[in-house]
Amino acid sequence: MAFEILSDDVIAALLDCPKELVNPQAKKKVRDGHEQVNYKVVSSDKTACVFSVYKRQNLREGMTDDFSCGISWVAPNGESLTLRRYNGPSHNHFNQLEKYRLGYICHIHEATEKYIKANRKPEGYASETDRFTSLEGAFHCLITDCKISGISTLPDETGQTKLFD
Amino acid sequence: MNFDITKLQHALSTYMCAEVKLEAKNGCLISVETPFFFADGDPYQIYIQEMPGGLIRLSDMGHTMMHLSYENDVDKFRTGTRGKLLEQILAEMSVEEDNGAFFIETPIEEIGQNIFRLGQALTKVYDLSFLNRSRNESTFYEDLQEELFKVVGEDKVVKDYFYDKMENAQDYPIDYRIEGKHAPLFLFGIPNKDKARLTTMIIERLLRVEADFDSLLIFSDLGAIPKQDLARLSNAGGEIISSLDAKRDFSRKLLRKISLN
């Protein structure tokens, strides 16, 4: 594994660098009953780091809440590391090191040095969020949080004070 | 043995009961919470659907394949070695598949054992992700080294050697150098087409400076290298071993070229 030495600072830098979409022609595909789109993104600074960004929606009846989108850093040796993943509320995520379940709630996974050092999946830690309720809303948060340009998104109107409330 | 089996039984049953919970998801599905988790802490998603004839269907509703697709090209789970292994897992565990959803149909009385059977099958399916390219490559190099050290003592092998009689030698690493009968033997492991191209360049470079050496090229899978890359490398390099499975050939070709004294 190439990621044993990754620190929280490096992970933060990878998330924080401005990024540009490389394949605007990326199309939706249906595979195994879910819809998927895969984007390729490159940092626009001199590091030219490569990332993959993905969107997934389970299309089966009753599984609307089973959605996911995320960003992975593709290391020069070809291995990839999920930096962030935004999940729907279809499952009860368990934070293995902290030993607690989040409940059936939208949540955001993030790669942390703590989980890497403990030999766990880097993105094993997740925290609950009310910033989105749908895949499109989750994708908007991902694109905004990770400073990706070239993809247009719309936020969910959740957890926000509405103008006329 | 000082265990109180009744007490152990009670503790185990309490734990199992606490870990398996049912929750109505919507009008057609009941979600089953189990102690099975993916490596990232997300649980396996297992659902109960009512079927005709008093049967129930336990299904992952396609979530496992979707979860795998975050970091893997799921098309690769349908072809080649992975495809065969997937079919084998489903057959062994008597699990069926409907367009990426894995399921078992069972009478209510057997639901407990079948939840565990489906959980075990999903674990095996998820483990197919360990067969990705970079992991295969790293295990290939480990296996190559193990075989090499078995045939030739570790003390006779120089790993990551640089031929310092040429410019920028550090840019042209040689996997292993072993003292040869007539000239040093340079051994290269070739797990993929990129390494095949790099090795061609390194050997061409060595030939250009008229280095005196023999070479031995060990492929992870010769059949997986594109023809043109293979032709270029074969022209430049020496003996070839098509895969590490050919242990006898590996040992014969190696021993023919090296000096063990």
Side-chain angles (χ1 to χ4, degrees):
Chain A
M1 290 281 282
F3 307 124
E4 286 143 12
I5 48 160
L6 277 190
S7 64
D8 283 338
D9 287 345
V10 173
I11 292 167
L14 286 166
L15 285 166
D16 200 46
C17 63
K19 304 168 186 77
E20 285 170 3
L21 177 68
V22 174
N23 63 334
Q25 73 284 7
K27 288 201 171 76
K28 286 178 183 175
K29 291 186 290 188
V30 175
R31 288 278 184 283
D32 296 316
H34 67 264
E35 188 173 79
Q36 55 169 257
V37 194
N38 298 304
Y39 298 97
K40 190 176 172 188
V41 168
V42 174
S43 66
S44 36
D45 58 14
K46 61 183 177 185
T47 60
C49 290
V50 178
F51 302 87
S52 68
V53 170
Y54 55 87
K55 268 173 98 175
R56 302 285 184 267
Q57 174 66 60
N58 195 329
L59 297 175
R60 289 184 168 80
E61 191 185 348
M63 297 298 288
T64 321
D65 60 354
D66 190 23
F67 61 81
S68 186
C69 58
I71 180 167
S72 304
W73 170 53
V74 183
N77 72 351
E79 283 191 72
S80 68
L81 169 90
T82 297
L83 297 169
R84 284 271 177 93
R85 194 169 76 237
Y86 299 61
N87 272 161
S90 64
H91 55 274
N92 188 358
H93 172 81
F94 180 54
N95 280 324
Q96 292 168 324
L97 294 182
E98 293 77 10
K99 299 196 187 308
Y100 70 90
R101 290 184 186 239
L102 297 182
Y104 291 84
I105 192 159
C106 291
H107 56 274
I108 303 175
H109 288 255
E110 54 187 295
T112 59
E113 187 180 332
K114 181 180 175 182
Y115 271 67
I116 293 171
K117 281 191 170 160
N119 264 329
R120 301 301 179 111
K121 199 87 168 53
E123 75 277 20
Y125 178 77
S127 52
E128 61 188 68
T129 182
D130 62 0
R131 293 172 61 207
F132 57 85
T133 54
S134 72
L135 175 60
E136 292 314 315
F139 196 54
H140 175 78
C141 293
L142 169 71
I143 297 302
T144 312
D145 293 351
C146 300
K147 300 184 178 168
I148 301 168
S149 59
I151 305 178
S152 58
T153 58
L154 281 173
D156 286 330
E157 289 181 11
T158 100
Q160 296 171 7
T161 308
K162 293 189 176 73
L163 195 57
F164 300 106
D165 278 354
Chain B
M1 200 164 65
N2 294 318
F3 291 123
D4 178 341
I5 292 182
T6 313
K7 211 170 165 182
L8 276 176
Q9 171 81 50
H10 179 70
L12 192 58
S13 306
T14 310
Y15 171 78
M16 301 291 244
C17 289
E19 287 293 309
V20 180
K21 287 180 196 155
L22 302 183
E23 192 160 319
K25 184 176 172 69
N26 50 38
C28 58
L29 294 173
I30 296 168
S31 158
V32 186
E33 204 168 282
T34 67
F36 304 119
F37 293 92
F38 294 107
D40 62 4
D42 280 350
Y44 292 0
Q45 292 191 30
I46 297 178
Y47 299 93
I48 294 173
Q49 283 174 295
E50 192 176 4
M51 303 301 286
L55 288 178
I56 55 174
R57 177 180 284 198
L58 297 169
S59 169
D60 76 337
M61 295 298 284
H63 178 79
T64 309
M65 288 304 275
M66 190 172 100
H67 202 102
L68 279 165
S69 81
Y70 303 157
E71 292 182 350
N72 302 275
D73 175 359
V74 285
D75 288 348
K76 288 186 179 168
F77 289 79
R78 304 294 182 185
T79 56
T81 307
R82 291 181 192 84
K84 277 185 194 154
L85 286 171
L86 177 60
E87 282 173 20
Q88 209 174 320
I89 290 165
L90 300 183
E92 262 174 33
M93 306 305 299
S94 300
V95 168
E96 292 178 74
E97 187 195 344
D98 173 19
N99 187 28
F102 301 114
F103 70 89
I104 293 175
E105 287 185 353
T106 172
I108 289 178
E109 303 75 47
E110 291 169 20
I111 185 174
Q113 70 197 62
N114 283 321
I115 283 175
F116 281 92
R117 184 152 60 89
L118 183 59
Q120 193 183 354
L122 297 182
T123 302
K124 289 183 173 211
V125 171
Y126 180 75
D127 285 351
L128 290 176
S129 64
F130 290 120
L131 294 172
N132 70 30
R133 204 186 93 171
S134 52
R135 285 206 181 97
N136 285 345
E137 285 170 16
S138 61
T139 56
F140 165 71
Y141 282 116
E142 285 166 18
D143 294 344
L144 169 61
Q145 184 160 305
E146 191 186 327
E147 283 304 311
L148 181 61
F149 287 175
K150 258 190 228 168
V151 180
V152 187
E154 188 175 342
D155 56 322
K156 293 192 171 52
V157 179
V158 180
K159 194 179 168 189
D160 299 325
Y161 174 74
F162 298 103
Y163 183 77
D164 56 11
K165 288 177 197 143
M166 64 185 184
E167 266 182 58
N168 304 321
Q170 299 286 321
D171 294 338
Y172 303 94
I174 293 154
D175 292 339
Y176 299 98
R177 179 197 186 279
I178 307 156
E179 202 54 52
K181 280 183 181 155
H182 311 291
L185 176 68
F186 295 163
L187 191 147
F188 297 88
I190 323 275
N192 56 39
K193 70 169 186 214
D194 295 336
K195 183 65 187 296
R197 288 174 186 173
L198 177 64
T199 306
T200 306
M201 283 196 291
I202 295 170
I203 293 176
E204 294 282 9
R205 181 85 179 173
L206 287 163
L207 293 173
R208 205 192 306 167
V209 296
E210 297 182 348
D212 186 19
F213 69 102
D214 264 336
S215 61
L216 183 57
L217 314 169
I218 326 284
F219 290 84
S220 166
D221 177 7
L222 185 104
I225 307 292
K227 274 184 187 167
Q228 277 189 320
D229 295 313
L230 189 58
R232 279 193 291 261
L233 180 56
S234 314
N235 290 340
E239 292 262 35
I240 281 175
I241 308 284
S242 62
S243 87
L244 272 179
D245 294 335
K247 288 195 172 65
R248 230 182 243 178
D249 294 333
F250 176 67
S251 150
R252 179 173 52 82
K253 289 188 177 179
L254 189 56
L255 291 172
R256 200 193 293 158
K257 288 183 180 297
I258 60 166
S259 159
L260 282 175
N261 300 319

